[in-house]
Amino acid sequence: MSGNSASSNISNVKIEQIVLGAILMNEENYWAVHDILSIDMFGSEDHQKIYAIIYELASDGKAIRVPIVAGRIGGLSDGKDAEAYTSMLLHVASREDSIPLSDYALELRSSATRRKLIALGESIVKAAQDVKYDPDQIADRASERLSDISRSAAIEQESTVSGVFAKIAESYSTKGSGVVLRPCLIGLEEMVGTFRPGSLVLWGGAPGSGKTAIAMQQMLFSSTVHPTSLFELEMDSESLVTRSTSGQTGVSLRNMANGLTEAQYKALMKAKADFASLKMTIVHPAKMTIQQIRSRAYAHKRKYGLDLLAVDHIKLVERQTKNRMDPVERAYENARDLKALAKDLGCVVIGLCQFTKAARQKEHPEPEMEDFYGGSLEEHADLMLANFNRNDWHNRNPPVTKQGKAYEEWLSNKNSTAGKIEVYKLKDRFGPPRDRRIFEWDGASTVFRDQASQTALFDDAITL
């Protein structure tokens, strides 16, 4: 650490001495604060060296004893004697009547975070003053580093099985309580149960299979209660909301373009009032990096809360790299980072995936995990869902001639699948791995409905 850096002045030498002395006096003190402390929490290089030895002994299951630690230190700065210095640490700690060890450890952690922030600020200023660096790249890199600092500042607490079970029982004690999200359709709820916080849902399909529509329908349904954020990289927000308005009011996009009747206008005004109460934010840049999504998601979490985040779609999310990245590799890396984001924020993340051309030209058209960019994303997903528009597939694959049994069978299948979209469950980390439901699909108003009569759950979803 540079002696000229402002961050070098942010330290708590006295507290560092007390914490190290307390650990050397009684190794049980180490286990009381080991989940808070790390080597970089200590501003003094001598203290970093001593804590590294303590950490190594504890990790190897060996006793933390003063003679052992002193014998391993070697040289200290300014020629200080190792045995004399460890004795001094014991003396400093013994003079404290009551050591609030956890509070001291948290203060060291806070100081370390402050040093990192100061160092980051200094590097930003230095880079910004150099005209050979692109300011957008500086901002993206700074955003990434700031997120890293934020994540490292969080404390990974250990938990007992009974404690975790009590937390689960409490969150499920009341239907609809907690941050567990209910699906917007009964068929989906039957198939997947609930969307769990910290999970990554990959939702794929070919063009025209209603991926964006069903994701938007889920977000509108959830945002009546839960804060939600949509990162829309394919459509602009105006087109997206117009489509969703059509689904809520029954007024088609064509009606809006050609002019509204008085009844249709009143339906739109009612939808406007309903939308005003939704806890939903739409981010719709022309392009966005995964670091920018992560930074914006953290900002939304702090400002509004965040229970559900959706990205449409993950192959369009850019990555900072000097070399051109293969689309499959980019999707894989984005899925991995979205899973980490879901876990860090404790929210549900839905990542929409466009199936490859090869996947859409298969002899057997039903979706498989391999259609998600060769199946490489599977390891990151907690839940994998896929839309399949069988009617569209029949339209694109007619028989050679319009005569005979083959044509009659094709025509019957095409007619029977009109206005329907199938949703396949291909992976479920929390339940049976494979299932399927068929939903009514109104393409004019871009809305999904459960088959048979509408239910209370679906009415909630569309009337808000």
Side-chain angles (χ1 to χ4, degrees), residues 7 76 83 97-98 142 158 160 167 174 225 237 255 341 387 407 452 461 463:
S7 61
L76 292 173
E83 290 187 10
D97 294 332
S98 177
E158 292 183 356
T160 63
K167 186 176 180 181
T174 305
V225 177
S237 61
N255 293 143
L341 184 62
N387 288 8
Y407 176 76
T463 61

Side-chain angles (χ1 to χ4, degrees), residues 120-131:
L120 175 60
E122 291 173 344
S123 68
I124 292 172
V125 171
K126 184 177 179 180
Q129 290 174 337
D130 193 332
V131 295

Side-chain angles (χ1 to χ4, degrees), residues 169-190:
E170 181 180 355
S171 66
Y172 282 91
S173 60
T174 305
K175 189 172 180 61
S177 65
V179 295
V180 174
L181 273 69
R182 293 175 61 199
C184 60
L185 297 162
I186 286 180
L188 284 177
E189 190 169 31
E190 291 173 347

Side-chain angles (χ1 to χ4, degrees), residues 230-235 283-288 292 296:
L230 171 63
F231 291 81
E232 177 54 58
L233 303 178
E234 274 199 309
M235 301 174 61
V283 183
H284 53 98
K287 57 183 180 179
M288 204 169 198
Q292 289 171 328
R296 191 72 66 87

Side-chain angles (χ1 to χ4, degrees), residues 359-427:
R360 305 197 295 267
Q361 294 170 355
K362 299 184 303 180
E363 181 179 355
H364 300 288
E366 287 77 12
E368 296 290 344
M369 283 196 288
E370 289 72 22
D371 299 335
F372 287 77
Y373 311 113
S376 61
L377 311 188
E378 183 270 334
E379 64 182 271
H380 302 308
D382 298 289
L383 183 64
M384 294 181 77
L385 301 172
N387 288 8
F388 177 45
N389 189 335
R390 195 177 293 271
N391 181 260
D392 178 66
W393 183 84
H394 283 306
N395 284 329
R396 289 185 289 104
N397 293 274
V400 178
T401 65
K402 293 185 177 181
Q403 295 179 353
K405 186 175 181 181
Y407 176 76
E408 292 177 0
E409 184 177 348
W410 170 82
L411 190 61
S412 175
N413 289 334
K414 186 172 81 75
N415 292 336
S416 66
T417 56
K420 294 180 175 61
I421 286 182
E422 304 166 29
V423 177
Y424 284 72
K425 182 174 72 168
L426 305 177
K427 177 185 177 180

Side-chain angles (χ1 to χ4, degrees), residues 10 14 25 43 65 92 121 130 153 175 190 192 205 233 244 304 308 371 373 427:
I10 306 296
K14 185 71 172 180
M25 279 198 307
R65 298 288 185 265
V92 169
D130 193 332
K175 189 172 180 61
E190 291 173 347
V192 305
L233 303 178
S244 300
Y304 314 111
L308 174 61
D371 299 335
Y373 311 113
K427 177 185 177 180

Side-chain angles (χ1 to χ4, degrees), residues 237-295:
S237 61
E238 207 168 293
S239 300
L240 188 68
V241 173
T242 300
R243 280 181 26 163
S244 300
T245 303
S246 179
Q248 303 303 314
T249 62
V251 181
S252 70
L253 299 177
R254 182 174 296 179
N255 293 143
M256 296 183 194
N258 295 337
L260 301 173
T261 66
E262 184 176 348
Q264 290 169 340
Y265 179 77
K266 288 181 178 179
L268 285 180
M269 291 302 99
K270 182 182 183 305
K272 178 182 176 182
D274 291 337
F275 284 155
S277 63
L278 296 181
K279 302 176 181 180
M280 182 173 175
T281 304
I282 301 175
V283 183
H284 53 98
K287 57 183 180 179
M288 204 169 198
T289 66
I290 189 68
Q291 290 83 8
Q292 289 171 328
I293 288 177
R294 186 171 67 175
S295 299

